[in-house]
Amino acid sequence: MNFSKLYRKLPKKIQDSEKLMIYCIRFVKFIRSKKLRKNEPAKNNLLNFIFKSSTIKPTGTIRDIQLLYLELLKFIDNVCEKHNLDYCLTYGTLLGAIRHEGFIPWDDDCDILMMRKDYDKFIEVLPEEINKYEFFKENCALTRLINSTDNYFTDFNNIYHKELGHDDFFNLPGLGKSLFLQLGWLKPMVKLDIFPYDYVKDESVNYYTKNYLGHKFYFRGLYSQENFSFEKEFTKRFEELGLSYEPTNFIAEGIDASFIEDFPPFKKELIFPTKRLKFDEYELKCPNKSHELLKLWYGDNYTDIPQNVVVHGYADYNLTLFESKSEMDNAFKDTIEKLKEINHNFE
């Protein structure tokens, strides 16, 4: 179910009412949960057989995209190690680490999560580290929207770059603009998502589970309004949902994280202590109990290849940014080599 389309179809009275919105989303969640219990996602028998019985690696543009992501991941890993910050791979990127020891072969996306304290600190130190490398600063996109158009990082490129056409691309169905921190590259274009997670007070777990999605949709809707104040609105919802900066027994996604996910809070032991696992040519941080977490998010058959394989279309889009495929291939190669050198000499 597309909650975004549903929201836009609701009467304006409901869209403007925080309480009505929260109760509407609770009703939709109830209906959806009954449907999901009846209809387990089907696996793709052909792809399941191919990828579980063979070693198949992607090539071409999709592999170039993944290798560019890999160097951005390693740069984030370097920054976190230097500043004593924690992170871990999440969602499809984590699934790739467990199922493929790297990216899912067709994946053109990349996701990590950070707890709020580390996330806020990372927002402070990442620009400082990027600024040390002129090539990185000129070509990367560091984005965290503070309203529907403006970037928190006034000194950096925005991934929703109008002149290059990225703004129009992300307005296509199935994509959209995101509120959380993103480290991307302008040309060739990739966008790595960094999701903030929060601790949930024990007594607030039930309220969070029922009302999180409603708060998230209402919060996102406020972004387009004049005089929107992120700090004011975020603090209000942070308190109402019973969240905490200090560790508690439960962890859950922040309201400024992904737009469509709606996973319940889970025990912090599933994430911490994080541990390093093989991911392509590097070892990157993953949750403490990755298998349990993936089962919670994607069900018991999370290692199966799903019937519907989702891609974001970055490979086709990147080709439109260049005069020829050979020019695009060379741009990927040059970028990856330079970022690899930066990572190798990182201090």
Side-chain angles (χ1 to χ4, degrees):
M1 181 176 293
N2 190 317
F3 287 109
S4 174
K5 289 183 179 179
L6 174 66
Y7 174 75
R8 288 193 292 268
K9 290 180 180 179
L10 291 172
K12 194 168 188 310
K13 182 178 180 182
I14 294 179
Q15 292 187 35
D16 291 343
S17 170
E18 182 175 355
K19 286 187 177 180
L20 283 174
M21 167 57 69
I22 290 171
Y23 281 113
C24 281
I25 296 297
R26 282 177 66 175
F27 176 73
V28 170
K29 281 182 63 176
F30 173 74
I31 298 299
R32 187 180 68 167
S33 66
K34 297 192 78 173
K35 278 188 176 181
L36 289 176
R37 282 195 290 268
K38 290 181 181 178
N39 303 305
E40 287 294 321
K43 66 181 178 181
N44 190 318
N45 291 320
L46 177 59
L47 288 183
N48 221 39
F49 169 75
I50 291 173
F51 284 101
K52 287 190 173 182
S53 62
S54 308
T55 301
I56 297 177
K57 298 294 183 182
T59 59
T61 306
I62 191 68
R63 182 56 178 162
D64 287 337
I65 288 172
Q66 292 174 358
L67 290 173
L68 178 47
Y69 274 132
L70 188 62
E71 295 308 321
L72 292 177
L73 278 171
K74 184 56 181 173
F75 187 80
I76 289 172
D77 179 72
N78 286 332
V79 172
C80 287
E81 282 294 291
K82 177 177 178 178
H83 293 276
N84 197 30
L85 304 175
D86 214 350
Y87 77 93
C88 66
L89 306 183
T90 191
Y91 302 142
T93 310
L94 175 61
L95 182 56
I98 299 302
R99 194 168 64 192
H100 306 279
E101 293 190 338
F103 289 97
I104 296 172
W106 53 85
D107 202 3
D108 58 355
D109 191 30
C110 193
D111 303 322
I112 69 173
L113 72 81
M114 301 181 79
M115 297 308 298
R116 182 71 60 179
K117 267 192 173 181
D118 285 347
Y119 177 82
D120 288 347
K121 180 65 175 177
F122 188 64
I123 287 172
E124 291 180 22
V125 301
L126 183 58
E128 299 171 6
E129 297 297 342
I130 292 175
N131 279 330
K132 295 175 181 177
Y133 309 97
E134 185 178 351
F135 173 75
F136 207 136
K137 170 67 185 296
E138 289 181 354
N139 293 283
C140 82
L142 190 57
T143 305
R144 176 179 170 243
L145 295 181
I146 56 174
N147 54 46
S148 59
T149 57
D150 297 325
N151 189 6
Y152 173 84
F153 304 101
T154 55
D155 230 15
F156 281 81
N157 294 307
N158 191 332
I159 191 61
Y160 308 110
H161 199 288
K162 291 186 178 180
E163 286 74 20
L164 286 173
H166 297 350
D167 194 60
D168 291 334
F169 173 73
F170 283 108
N171 280 325
L172 292 174
L175 294 172
K177 294 182 178 180
S178 303
L179 314 182
F180 44 81
L181 179 63
Q182 298 154 95
L183 175 59
W185 207 257
L186 290 177
K187 187 179 177 180
M189 191 280 288
V190 298
K191 178 174 73 71
L192 188 154
D193 297 332
I194 304 161
F195 298 118
Y197 265 57
D198 292 303
Y199 288 104
V200 185
K201 297 174 184 175
D202 290 12
E203 64 272 19
S204 301
V205 168
N206 187 51
Y207 179 85
Y208 177 101
T209 303
K210 290 180 178 178
N211 300 294
Y212 162 70
L213 199 58
H215 278 281
K216 180 161 66 172
F217 266 76
Y218 190 79
F219 180 74
R220 186 181 177 91
L222 294 175
Y223 259 70
S224 60
Q225 296 186 8
E226 291 183 11
N227 302 318
F228 170 73
S229 168
F230 177 91
E231 295 303 328
K232 175 184 175 182
E233 295 297 338
F234 173 81
T235 301
K236 176 183 177 183
R237 255 145 278 282
F238 192 88
E239 293 173 353
E240 288 184 7
L241 286 167
L243 305 179
S244 170
Y245 284 95
E246 301 304 322
T248 66
N249 291 318
F250 291 91
I251 289 173
E253 191 181 57
I255 60 166
D256 50 340
S258 70
F259 190 29
I260 58 172
E261 303 297 359
D262 179 32
F263 298 124
F266 51 86
K267 290 291 187 70
K268 69 178 178 182
E269 288 78 13
L270 297 188
I271 295 283
F272 300 110
T274 56
K275 56 187 179 184
R276 291 188 176 275
L277 296 178
K278 176 177 170 53
F279 191 88
D280 214 297
E281 63 184 78
Y282 295 122
E283 286 192 345
L284 299 173
K285 286 190 173 183
C286 292
N288 178 40
K289 298 182 179 180
S290 296
H291 293 278
E292 291 184 35
L293 196 54
L294 289 168
K295 188 180 293 186
L296 176 70
W297 286 341
Y298 301 122
D300 293 341
N301 301 320
Y302 66 89
T303 58
D304 288 337
I305 310 298
Q307 188 72 32
N308 296 315
V309 173
V310 177
V311 294
H312 296 79
Y314 291 173
D316 289 338
Y317 176 64
N318 266 294
L319 191 54
T320 69
L321 301 177
F322 297 89
E323 293 295 325
S324 65
K325 186 176 184 302
S326 61
E327 182 187 351
M328 177 185 71
D329 293 343
N330 288 332
F332 269 112
K333 182 180 179 181
D334 182 60
T335 300
I336 293 164
E337 286 179 353
K338 287 180 178 176
L339 287 179
K340 192 179 289 287
E341 183 180 355
I342 287 172
N343 281 322
H344 182 73
N345 296 304
F346 185 88
E347 294 181 353

